């Protein structure tokens, strides 16, 4: 439970940072991987976990604690509505080839990552 609480908060902040134009998705992931030693940045991790699962975690935490920090980012909701559920379906935050590798031409809702 601790890891889920910390992770969803990190992912929501990463989404806010992206939407504010502070950094690209790839730079946010790279910063967290290199700067903090995370195996996967928040966007890559979400794609591996599955955005549908992440949204359920967020909704459950938001309902249980009533804290807005757990409510899913509008960006995550848009991806789930678009059926961009993660690497297991070939597209989430990133686009993936058949072997699960991130494609260089990935986009997120029309914006270059």
């Amino acid at each position: 439970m601790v890891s889920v609480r910390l992770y969803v908060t990190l992912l929501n902040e990463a989404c806010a940072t992206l939407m504010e134009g502070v950094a690209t998705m790839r730079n946010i992931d790279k910063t967290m991987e290199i700067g903090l030693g995370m195996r996967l940045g928040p966007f890559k991790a979400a794609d591996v976990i599955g955005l549908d699962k992440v949204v359920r975690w967020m909704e459950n935490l938001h309902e249980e604690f009533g804290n807005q920090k757990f409510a899913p980012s509008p960006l995550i909701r848009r991806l789930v509505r678009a059926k961009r559920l993660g690497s297991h379906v070939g597209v989430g935050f990133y686009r993936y080839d058949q072997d699960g590798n991130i494609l260089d031409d990935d986009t997120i809702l029309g914006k270059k990552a």
Side-chain angles (χ1 to χ4, degrees):
M1 181 68 153
V2 170
S3 61
V4 171
R5 284 183 65 175
L6 294 174
Y7 172 69
V8 300
T9 304
L10 170 66
L11 180 58
N12 270 337
E13 188 60 29
C15 288
T17 302
L18 176 66
M19 291 187 302
E20 291 166 9
V22 174
T24 66
M25 190 169 62
R26 286 183 188 268
N27 285 341
I28 293 166
D29 272 348
K30 188 182 215 180
T31 297
M32 299 308 289
E33 291 164 5
I34 295 170
L36 294 181
M38 293 176 65
R39 190 171 66 87
L40 298 172
F43 299 115
K44 289 178 188 174
D47 278 353
V48 170
I49 294 165
L51 294 176
D52 48 340
K53 188 176 197 177
V54 171
V55 165
R56 282 194 306 272
W57 290 348
M58 290 174 158
E59 289 171 343
N60 289 340
L61 286 166
H62 184 248
E63 183 178 318
E64 183 174 341
F65 295 104
N67 193 321
Q68 193 61 29
K69 72 180 179 181
F70 297 124
S73 163
L75 178 56
I76 297 169
R77 288 202 181 277
R78 286 170 46 197
L79 291 171
V80 170
R81 276 195 309 272
K83 305 291 186 227
R84 294 180 64 146
L85 303 177
S87 57
H88 64 288
V89 298
V91 64
F93 281 101
Y94 295 100
R95 292 186 188 278
Y96 299 85
D97 66 17
Q98 296 166 341
D99 298 321
N101 299 310
I102 294 173
L103 297 172
D104 288 335
D105 66 342
D106 63 297
T107 57
I108 180 166
L109 300 176
K111 294 183 180 179
K112 193 73 175 156

